[in-house]
Amino acid sequence: MSIVAISGRVQKSNTGKTTVVTTLFPLYDFAKNIGQDKVEVSLLLPPGVEPHSFEPKPSDIARISEADIFIYTGKFMEPWAVDIIKGFSGRNIKVVDSSAGIKMIPAVFHDADEPQGAFDPHIWLDFDNAKIMVDNIVQGLCEKDKANAYYKKNGDEYKNALSNLDNRYRTGLANCKSKEIIYGGHYAFGYLAHRYGLQYLAAQGLSPDAEPTAQDLVKLVEQIKKNNIRYIFYEELTSPKIAETLAGETQAKMLLLNAAHNITKKDFENKVSFVSIMENNLRNLKIGLQCTE
């Protein structure tokens, strides 16, 4: 049973494919690569929408409830999903928590949205975590559709692509003049920085709505000048005004560092992939950190 959302309504058409609804773009891309022509995958987030502030509408809940499989990142990324899943009792929906089995790192910032004891939800930015997420999706598809060898083969091939990506990051970031990422956005790259031995300072907390104080910005400007930082990174899908402020105060240049939560409508139509986003991040990191191979 296929699910197509049109103008907020859910319409059904028969394709014989397993229907999958995913919350974030990485999950969407992972599921498409694993399921290929045996699945029909949809992204719950409309292209261009920032996910941290997303709240599902009744039509979104209807899409999820009609699907064969619902895949989400975990309770720290999509706290709203927990209540929706409770409502699935008795329904034949396979729910995949892609964070299952992942050792998460503690959240750095704490506020009303991210209380003490919360964990950083951006797990896909450590490529070993991404492989575990792929395994969890493979398992979910195998339990729902018995074409086990097909999904496992595709999953293994995708994990090989992630291993190659990881190797390129290790090589590309091994010899850099700077090891310090100054990010004019919310705290998203803790996993990546930890994996490759980088220092990481973000202007905002885990939520993009957490505005930095004037004192926070003054400290960042001082550190940028002291350490002769030449590039400030900015995030996708939100205003780059904080990065622009930091760059304006320090004469630093700006580069995009995309956490891939979601993508623009244009990128979605152009079938941009998670791997291609991460490859572009690596190019910008090598420029921003002044790396040589």
Side-chain angles (χ1 to χ4, degrees), residues 52-276:
H52 286 275
S53 57
F54 175 76
E55 288 291 339
K57 302 185 297 293
S59 59
D60 297 321
I61 298 172
R63 283 175 64 192
I64 297 169
S65 66
E66 293 284 352
D68 295 314
I69 300 175
F70 172 55
I71 305 172
Y72 71 116
T73 315
K75 65 180 182 179
F76 294 105
M77 187 71 219
E78 303 105 340
W80 49 263
V82 177
D83 288 335
I84 291 176
I85 292 165
K86 289 177 182 176
F88 292 163
S89 178
R91 298 188 186 182
N92 190 28
I93 301 170
K94 175 62 184 177
V95 175
V96 176
D97 177 351
S98 67
S99 69
I102 289 176
K103 184 178 180 180
M104 301 179 74
I105 61 177
V108 172
F109 293 89
H110 304 291
D111 54 29
D113 295 323
E114 298 290 342
Q116 194 78 27
F119 287 89
D120 186 338
H122 305 90
I123 52 177
W124 60 91
L125 292 170
D126 179 316
F127 301 133
D128 271 356
N129 288 346
K131 292 177 192 175
I132 295 173
M133 297 168 81
V134 167
D135 284 338
N136 288 333
I137 294 170
V138 167
Q139 182 179 345
L141 284 165
C142 288
E143 289 177 6
K144 198 69 179 179
D145 176 3
K146 301 307 179 186
N148 291 12
Y150 180 84
Y151 297 128
K152 289 177 180 176
K153 175 179 176 293
N154 292 343
D156 287 342
E157 288 178 356
Y158 194 76
K159 286 192 293 181
N160 286 338
L162 291 172
S163 292
N164 290 335
L165 187 63
D166 183 40
N167 289 335
R168 276 177 278 160
Y169 265 75
R170 289 197 182 281
T171 301
L173 300 177
N175 299 297
C176 303
K177 186 175 180 181
S178 173
K179 290 286 188 179
E180 192 170 12
I181 299 171
I182 304 293
Y183 194 57
H186 79 283
Y187 195 91
F189 285 89
Y191 286 95
L192 185 144
H194 182 264
R195 184 166 186 82
Y196 302 111
L198 303 174
Q199 295 177 310
Y200 175 62
L201 286 174
Q204 295 163 276
L206 287 175
S207 168
D209 298 328
E211 288 291 325
T213 65
Q215 187 177 10
D216 292 333
L217 294 179
V218 167
K219 287 182 178 179
L220 278 174
V221 167
E222 289 174 351
Q223 182 146 347
I224 291 164
K225 290 180 177 178
K226 177 184 176 183
N227 295 346
N228 195 28
I229 302 296
R230 295 174 57 186
Y231 291 88
I232 308 297
F233 295 93
Y234 66 96
E235 70 178 303
E236 79 284 8
L237 302 181
T238 61
S239 170
K241 65 180 181 179
I242 295 172
E244 289 172 346
T245 298
L246 294 172
E249 291 289 330
T250 60
Q251 285 72 57
K253 298 178 182 178
M254 291 173 55
L255 288 167
L256 174 66
L257 197 57
N258 189 339
H261 305 79
N262 197 6
I263 57 175
T264 65
K265 184 177 181 182
K266 181 180 179 181
D267 282 346
F268 191 82
E269 291 170 348
N270 290 336
K271 298 185 179 351
V272 167
S273 70
F274 174 77
V275 169
S276 69

Side-chain angles (χ1 to χ4, degrees), residues 38 56 69 87 168 188 279 285:
K38 290 187 178 295
I69 300 175
R168 276 177 278 160
E279 288 172 337
L285 283 168

